[in-house]
Amino acid sequence: IMATYNKTGVAKYYVTTDTHCSPWGHRNGVNGKTIHFDLGDNTAASHFGDRDYPETMSVAAKIALLGNHDTSVKGVNPGGESQIYKDNQNKVIFFGLDTGTTNIETFAIPQSQLDAMAREMSLLENNWDVIVLTHVPLFPGKNAEENAQWNCGAAWSSTPEDVNEYAAEAFKLLHAFAGRSTYTASTGVTYSYAGKNGYIIGCFAGHIHTHVKCTYEGFPMEAFTTNGYDEWTDDQAYNNVGLYEPDLPYINVNFNAKTVNGMSYTN
């Protein structure tokens, strides 16, 4: 018998992303707040062809991902280990999945990280919830049935359809947990989520330099605008990118209402 989900209170986590080496991009905190997660792209510029090495990411970040600009100059995460943070007080586990490759416009999530995520989720006790962090969002750039009202166009990627492909295996795992079913890892091990009572609270990312909040594949999703600055947008005609946000984005989970940044996570 599945245990009753009985969490209360509010948990808030601060995020930085896509600062692109801006001196006023928030790294370690602002106004007394600590950044919990850095979603990547700290390279000095955004012109295609620039290969400036990224600055060191914040040591205060619980998870510090590499963006596609970072990996194009620095290489992918050595060893491919996933980044995991457990908020034991609020019973929320965060998975930081890599999405960048050495090709600035090609995205991929290492299967080894999904395998590790599958195992960790199978070990979760009652009332533990899951949040997924990536640099590139898991929702597609355009023509998505669930969020067809927006279109990031060229700002997303030259091949936005690739996003559907790179995220497909991640969605298999997320649906397995949400549906209390099973997931078979590349190692051949099958993990069961029967009896789990936690939720996939949401998936959060950066990359597109604009704010998008939507539901995709039934999960709350949000991409945060840059809180750095991207001079690339000055020379382009895109009116929905390059939005500088001087305040820190955040992930606010209300366990009483079962919402994350105002979106229900119990669908």
Side-chain angles (χ1 to χ4, degrees), residues 4 27 39 48 74 80 89 92 121 132 166 177 229 254:
T4 302
R27 280 288 189 279
L39 304 187
F48 185 78
K74 192 175 183 180
Q89 179 178 351
V92 179
M121 291 198 302
V132 177
Y166 99 84
F177 183 84
Y229 176 71
N254 186 322

Side-chain angles (χ1 to χ4, degrees), residues 19-241:
T19 53
H20 289 279
C21 263
S22 299
W24 53 83
H26 300 314
R27 280 288 189 279
N28 295 295
V30 62
N31 297 330
K33 300 179 179 68
T34 298
I35 290 173
H36 295 87
F37 311 114
D38 184 334
L39 304 187
D41 263 2
N42 297 313
T43 47
S46 187
H47 290 288
F48 185 78
D50 279 353
R51 294 295 181 264
D52 300 313
Y53 277 84
E55 61 186 83
T56 302
M57 292 184 184
S58 169
V59 295
K62 298 294 185 181
I63 289 178
L65 298 175
L66 295 176
N68 57 313
H69 288 273
D70 299 326
T71 56
S72 69
V73 299
K74 192 175 183 180
V76 296
N77 182 7
E81 297 90 354
S82 57
Q83 298 185 57
I84 298 174
Y85 169 61
K86 293 182 178 179
D87 179 352
N88 292 300
Q89 179 178 351
N90 293 296
K91 294 187 177 181
V92 179
I93 186 170
F94 292 80
F95 293 97
L97 303 178
D98 290 320
T99 57
T101 67
T102 54
N103 183 327
I104 202 168
E105 295 201 22
T106 299
F107 315 129
I109 299 175
Q111 182 61 45
S112 60
Q113 294 188 2
L114 294 175
D115 291 347
M117 180 176 168
R119 179 182 180 276
E120 286 289 336
M121 291 198 302
S122 73
L123 300 175
L124 293 177
E125 297 179 351
N126 289 333
N127 290 326
W128 273 83
D129 297 308
V130 175
I131 289 179
V132 177
L133 304 175
T134 55
H135 174 69
V136 179
L138 297 182
F139 56 82
K142 61 181 179 180
N143 300 328
E145 181 179 346
E146 293 182 74
N147 58 319
Q149 72 274 14
W150 71 275
N151 181 355
C152 279
W156 175 270
S157 164
S158 60
T159 54
E161 62 273 12
D162 289 348
V163 179
N164 293 319
E165 180 179 349
Y166 99 84
E169 193 65 25
F171 282 123
K172 288 182 184 178
L173 176 54
L174 295 178
H175 281 301
F177 183 84
R180 319 305 180 194
S181 60
T182 61
Y183 176 83
T184 300
S186 65
T187 58
V189 177
T190 296
Y191 298 100
S192 174
Y193 307 110
K196 304 296 181 187
N197 70 339
Y199 293 94
I200 305 295
I201 286 180
C203 306
F204 300 88
H207 181 62
I208 56 176
H209 293 211
T210 192
H211 185 219
V212 175
K213 183 186 292 188
C214 64
T215 298
Y216 186 67
E217 293 276 339
F219 303 112
M221 299 201 175
E222 191 164 355
F224 299 113
T225 187
T226 173
N227 47 25
Y229 176 71
D230 182 356
E231 72 277 9
W232 174 70
T233 58
D234 281 355
D235 303 323
Q236 307 297 324
Y238 308 132
N239 59 7
N240 60 346
V241 300

